[in-house]
């Protein structure tokens, strides 16, 4: 039986030489239980490769998620960019259905010239259009997972993510704790700061398994700047406090490691978690 909190890399493991869609066996052999397939630079996986990924993930008991392209902007001012973003989201949903991904992670958009309230309104309208089109195309096996974003210019603070997810049945949050930390210019200073995040989630959403990202992070006044490894302790946020909070509150979670060392740091995170049980 798997533990409540499981770990995996954001993309192909550091020393793995094969194709990204055949990485599940390697990840399982390392002792990890999750894998986020990265399509941040563009969604290029076809149905055949996605089916192989699905078959391997079932065989190896790896929980798969998909990170959609970074250039999605569901709050775009320009109609052309908005329509392109909806089209990319549709392709991501189709790919996720092929590969059996339990979450489709994406960055909602940017405020641009709009107020945060108006940007959120446009994004929700875009999502309604997306869901209608997916229904027309017969794509139904998906769960979109908007991510808390790291730059202060981006739509995606925790309240906005909760608002989006509470508005649609097929949406669950992706909580990137490093992004919350960076966006808040060092927000997570103590263990109770994690508990404040959990309280917001519990008050606003009904979550069975929380999908998360974690890395140590460097930030500026504008928010996120650069990811750092687990061992670079001069950068926050603190992982131990997060794991203790998960254990104390009996949360189920998938933690995707986004440090430069991906699977290697995911294993260190898993070892720390097991030492706290």
């Amino acid at each position: 039986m798997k533990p409540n909190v499981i770990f995996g890399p954001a993309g192909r493991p550091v020393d793995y030489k094969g194709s990204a869609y055949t990485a599940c066996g390697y990840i399982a052999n390392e002792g990890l239980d999750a894998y986020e397939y990265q399509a941040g630079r563009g969604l290029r996986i076809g149905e055949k490769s996605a089916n192989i990924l699905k078959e391997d993930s079932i065989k190896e008991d790896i929980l798969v998620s998909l990170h959609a392209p970074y250039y999605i902007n569901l709050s775009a001012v320009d109609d052309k960019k908005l329509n392109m973003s909806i089209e990319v989201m549709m392709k991501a949903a189709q790919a996720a259905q092929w590969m059996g991904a339990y979450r489709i992670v994406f960055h909602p958009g940017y405020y641009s010239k709009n107020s945060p309230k108006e940007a959120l309104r446009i994004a929700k309208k875009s999502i309604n259009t997306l869901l209608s089109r997916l229904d027309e195309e017969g794509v139904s096996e998906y769960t979109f997972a908007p991510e808390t974003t790291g730059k202060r210019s981006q739509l995606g603070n925790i309240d906005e993510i909760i608002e989006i997810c509470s508005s649609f049945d097929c949406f669950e949050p992706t909580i990137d704790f490093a992004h919350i930390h960076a966006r808040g210019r060092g927000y997570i200073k103590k263990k109770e700061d994690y508990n404040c995040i959990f309280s917001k989630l519990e008050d606003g959403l009904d979550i069975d398994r929380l999908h998360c990202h974690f890395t140590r992070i460097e930030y500026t006044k504008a928010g996120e700047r650069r990811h750092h490894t687990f061992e670079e302790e001069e950068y926050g946020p603190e992982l131990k406090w997060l794991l203790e909070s998960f254990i104390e509150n009996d949360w189920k979670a998938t933690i995707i490691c986004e440090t430069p060392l991906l699977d290697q740091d995911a294993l260190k995170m898993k070892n720390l978690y097991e030492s706290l049980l």
Side-chain angles (χ1 to χ4, degrees):
M1 183 176 178
K2 289 187 184 297
N4 280 353
V5 181
I6 61 175
F7 302 82
R12 185 165 47 194
V14 175
D15 293 327
Y16 176 67
K17 305 303 181 184
S19 299
Y21 65 85
T22 59
C24 286
Y26 186 96
I27 290 167
N29 287 336
E30 288 186 300
L32 297 169
D33 297 292
Y35 175 38
E36 190 153 290
Y37 182 89
Q38 296 294 296
R41 306 298 178 189
L43 190 59
R44 301 180 183 89
I45 192 167
E47 184 174 4
K48 182 179 178 180
S49 297
N51 284 334
I52 292 172
L53 174 55
K54 181 179 181 178
E55 290 169 4
D56 284 354
S57 70
I58 293 170
K59 176 183 176 183
E60 303 294 348
D61 198 16
I62 296 293
L63 187 62
V64 171
S65 51
L66 166 69
H67 199 305
Y70 298 128
Y71 49 77
I72 287 168
N73 185 359
L74 295 179
S75 56
V77 176
D78 181 76
D79 285 343
K80 184 177 179 181
K81 290 181 181 178
L82 199 58
N83 291 331
M84 179 273 291
S85 295
I86 293 171
E87 185 67 29
V88 172
M89 289 282 282
M90 289 185 65
K91 291 179 180 178
Q94 180 63 82
Q97 183 167 288
W98 288 336
M99 68 174 63
Y102 95 117
R103 295 286 188 274
I104 305 164
V105 180
F106 71 98
H107 300 172
Y110 290 84
Y111 298 132
S112 301
K113 297 179 180 179
N114 291 315
S115 67
K117 183 177 180 180
E118 178 63 9
L120 181 59
R121 185 195 69 79
I122 294 171
K124 290 170 71 174
K125 182 180 178 182
S126 301
I127 291 167
N128 276 318
T129 300
L130 166 67
L131 298 180
S132 294
R133 291 185 61 185
L134 285 171
D135 186 55
E136 291 170 2
E137 295 293 327
V139 180
S140 59
E141 297 176 21
Y142 57 81
T143 299
F144 290 107
E147 178 182 342
T148 51
T149 48
K151 291 185 170 63
R152 298 171 73 90
S153 60
Q154 292 175 293
L155 176 66
N157 65 33
I158 189 166
D159 293 318
E160 291 163 343
I161 295 302
I162 290 172
E163 171 64 23
I164 291 171
C165 292
S166 65
S167 300
F168 303 97
D169 291 337
C170 51
F171 276 64
E172 296 280 349
T174 296
I175 303 302
D176 189 313
F177 293 100
H179 282 172
I180 292 174
H181 184 68
R183 188 181 183 115
R185 298 166 181 167
Y187 171 79
I188 300 172
K189 296 180 173 65
K190 55 188 182 299
K191 182 177 174 180
E192 287 71 23
D193 294 327
Y194 281 116
N195 290 330
C196 286
I197 295 169
F198 293 144
S199 292
K200 275 182 175 283
L201 293 169
E202 287 176 333
D203 289 344
L205 300 170
D206 183 15
I207 299 169
D208 178 49
R209 170 169 290 277
L210 184 64
H211 192 73
C212 312
H213 289 171
F214 190 90
T215 181
R216 294 196 185 276
I217 198 163
E218 182 180 348
Y219 59 87
T220 67
K221 290 182 179 180
E224 174 186 13
R225 182 179 185 184
R226 186 180 297 115
H227 291 193
H228 288 272
T229 67
F230 182 45
E231 296 300 327
E232 294 178 274
E233 297 182 359
E234 65 268 34
Y235 299 103
E238 175 54 52
L239 176 64
K240 184 180 179 182
W241 298 336
L242 171 62
L243 298 179
E244 288 175 343
S245 294
F246 275 137
I247 293 168
E248 291 165 7
N249 294 287
D250 199 31
W251 276 78
K252 292 181 181 179
T254 303
I255 300 182
I256 298 297
C257 178
E258 290 197 319
T259 80
L261 293 179
L262 298 175
D263 57 313
Q264 295 173 15
D265 273 352
L267 282 167
K268 291 177 181 178
M269 293 178 187
K270 179 183 178 181
N271 291 337
L272 176 58
Y273 170 69
E274 291 178 344
S275 75
L276 297 171
L277 294 175

